[in-house]
């Protein structure tokens, strides 16, 4: 099959061609320079979808919950895009695809698009091309898009800067009340979900989270906030609480549309997008310019003829002069 230029592929994406959307996402993941003008146009056309970020500690049942939530959305006629960020294989760099395996029952639905993406070393629980994928699915006609992160650690909270509604999933028996405090999850959640609530010990986790949220609200805010973070108990096994969760998501979307929270969220997402895009472009240009400059500096460093700090400073200065001379003129 001959290569289709990305700008031509863009029109196929806009027409709802799923295969074209998948190919465009692949080009975004690779970082293909030829695709950037098309991705720029896609960004300008996007912005219609409601983006739900779903995160939580490993083992909390995120993928199963995504499958249940998607089924509920489909029952209401929504077209749903899913960007499932998986850990990278330490050998191939590819995604392990655990999330996609757990969503096999959705794979045959033409109105559900599932894309697994490897983190490829990116910190923060998200793949670098995840937001490009969201824009592509948005332009392709998916009005609800779920980003499932790789699993929250103490610094993996980027999803709150990349989604309209952030859902944090906890599970009983994992010590999630302590994990929530350590990871800063109390601050990033728009909705807290306690999964596996059919278990006997779920009520304790529900109560603990509600108490911590109450204490945080009383200490941090004056007056009634535009949105009060709810705690919802669900069971992906029985379906309990799924409709309640969906109702809360819709309520949060409506609050964003009716108050300044929506504008604040868009600004936060835009600032995050600008920062990440600049970092990616800087790293690419730095790597390109350093290819010839770094080896002799490394040789000198290996012979103890310099120190790592001086060598790094020289490398930075030389690469900037080489790669950004025209931009800085």
């Amino acid at each position: 099959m001959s290569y289709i230029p990305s700008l031509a592929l863009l029109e196929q994406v806009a027409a709802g061609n799923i295969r074209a959307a998948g190919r465009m996402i692949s080009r975004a993941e690779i970082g293909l320079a030829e695709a950037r003008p098309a991705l720029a146009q896609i960004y300008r056309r996007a912005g219609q979808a409601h983006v739900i970020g779903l995160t939580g500690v490993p083992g909390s049942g995120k993928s199963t919950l995504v499958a249940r939530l998607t089924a509920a959305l489909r029952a209401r006629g929504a077209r749903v895009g899913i960007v499932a960020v998986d850990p990278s294989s330490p050998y191939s760099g590819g995604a392990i695809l655990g999330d996609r395996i757990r969503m096999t029952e959705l794979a045959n639905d033409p109105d559900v698009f599932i894309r697994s993406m490897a983190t490829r070393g990116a910190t923060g629980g998200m793949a670098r091309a995840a937001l490009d994928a969201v824009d592509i699915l948005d332009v392709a006609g998916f009005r609800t898009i779920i980003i499932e992160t790789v699993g929250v650690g103490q610094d993996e909270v980027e999803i709150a800067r990349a989604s309209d509604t952030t859902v944090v999933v906890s599970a009983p028996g994992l010590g999630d009340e302590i994990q929530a405090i350590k990871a800063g999850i109390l601050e990033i959640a728009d909705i807290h979900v306690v999964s596996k609530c059919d278990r006997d010990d779920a009520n304790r986790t529900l109560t603990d989270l509600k108490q911590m949220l109450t204490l945080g609200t009383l200490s941090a805010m004056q007056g009634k906030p535009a949105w009060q973070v709810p705690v919802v108990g669900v069971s992906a096994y029985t379906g309990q609480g799924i409709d309640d969760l969906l109702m809360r998501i819709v309520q949060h979307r409506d609050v964003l549309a009716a108050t300044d929270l929506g504008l604040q969220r868009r600004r936060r997402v835009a600032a995050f997008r600008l920062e990440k895009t600049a970092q990616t472009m800087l790293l690419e240009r730095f790597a390109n310019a350093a290819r010839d400059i770094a080896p002799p500096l490394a040789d000198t460093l290996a012979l103890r003829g310099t120190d790592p700090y001086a060598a790094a400073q020289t490398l930075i200065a030389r690469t900037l002069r080489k790669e950004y001379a025209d931009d800085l003129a």
Side-chain angles (χ1 to χ4, degrees):
M1 182 182 294
S2 60
Y3 184 86
I4 301 175
S6 295
L7 286 172
L9 201 61
L10 163 61
E11 299 309 322
Q12 296 182 25
V13 172
N17 187 313
I18 300 304
R19 293 184 64 185
R23 293 173 72 179
M24 187 66 79
I25 291 173
S26 295
R27 295 179 188 186
E29 279 193 280
I30 295 169
L32 205 61
E34 185 271 342
R36 282 183 177 165
L39 291 172
Q41 289 195 33
I42 284 172
Y43 178 82
R44 293 177 181 273
R45 297 190 191 188
Q48 303 300 312
H50 183 69
V51 182
I52 303 166
L54 197 143
T55 190
V57 296
S60 56
K62 298 186 300 296
S63 297
T64 308
L65 178 59
V66 168
R68 275 283 192 173
L69 184 59
T70 301
L73 286 162
R74 286 293 302 122
R76 290 159 175 77
R79 298 185 73 209
V80 184
I82 300 170
V83 179
V85 182
D86 279 307
S88 296
S89 163
Y91 301 103
S92 68
I96 296 174
L97 303 182
D99 292 324
R100 192 157 187 168
I101 292 169
R102 286 186 284 271
M103 299 179 196
T104 50
E105 66 273 17
L106 303 173
N108 294 325
D109 188 334
D111 289 314
V112 176
F113 183 100
I114 306 171
R115 180 64 177 241
S116 290
M117 304 184 80
T119 53
R120 299 180 187 271
T123 59
M126 287 181 60
R128 290 190 181 94
L131 291 183
D132 284 325
V134 167
D135 287 342
I136 292 164
L137 293 176
D138 187 337
V139 171
F142 293 90
R143 290 295 174 259
T144 301
I145 300 172
I146 301 172
I147 306 176
E148 181 197 345
T149 73
V150 68
V152 168
Q154 291 188 40
D155 62 347
E156 294 178 347
V157 292
E158 285 187 347
I159 189 63
R161 300 170 62 195
S163 59
D164 299 314
T165 299
T166 304
V167 178
V168 174
V169 185
S170 305
L174 296 180
D176 282 352
E177 59 275 11
I178 302 301
Q179 290 295 329
I181 296 171
K182 287 171 61 179
I185 294 178
L186 287 178
E187 287 76 17
I188 73 167
D190 297 308
I191 301 169
H192 272 288
V193 168
V194 176
S195 63
K196 307 177 185 180
C197 69
D198 50 314
R199 287 177 41 167
D200 294 336
D201 52 351
N203 283 336
R204 178 179 176 180
T205 304
L206 282 164
T207 301
D208 288 344
L209 282 172
K210 288 177 180 178
Q211 288 178 345
M212 285 188 290
L213 285 171
T214 301
L215 290 173
T217 300
L218 291 175
S219 62
M221 295 185 176
Q222 298 292 331
K224 185 177 180 180
W227 175 255
Q228 293 184 323
V229 178
V231 180
V232 182
V234 306
S235 169
Y237 177 71
T238 65
Q240 176 185 347
I242 297 298
D243 288 338
D244 186 21
L245 173 57
L246 187 54
M247 179 188 71
R248 301 287 189 170
I249 291 171
V250 172
Q251 288 176 345
H252 186 254
R253 181 193 65 193
D254 292 343
V255 168
L256 291 178
T259 68
D260 287 341
L261 283 180
L263 179 59
Q264 293 171 17
R265 183 61 64 96
R266 288 193 297 273
R267 286 174 173 167
R268 187 164 67 186
V269 172
F272 174 74
R273 191 72 175 273
L274 175 61
E275 176 186 331
K276 283 298 178 182
T277 303
Q279 287 178 0
T280 298
M281 295 176 70
L282 180 61
L283 287 171
E284 288 174 355
R285 295 182 72 170
F286 178 83
N288 180 63
R291 192 173 293 113
D292 297 327
I293 299 172
L297 286 172
D299 291 342
T300 303
L301 185 63
L303 296 172
R304 307 285 173 173
T306 186
D307 60 86
Y309 308 101
Q313 188 66 37
T314 301
L315 178 62
I316 292 170
R318 290 182 182 177
T319 52
L320 286 176
R321 281 199 298 270
K322 176 181 177 183
E323 193 65 15
Y324 286 90
D326 293 337
D327 294 340
L328 298 175

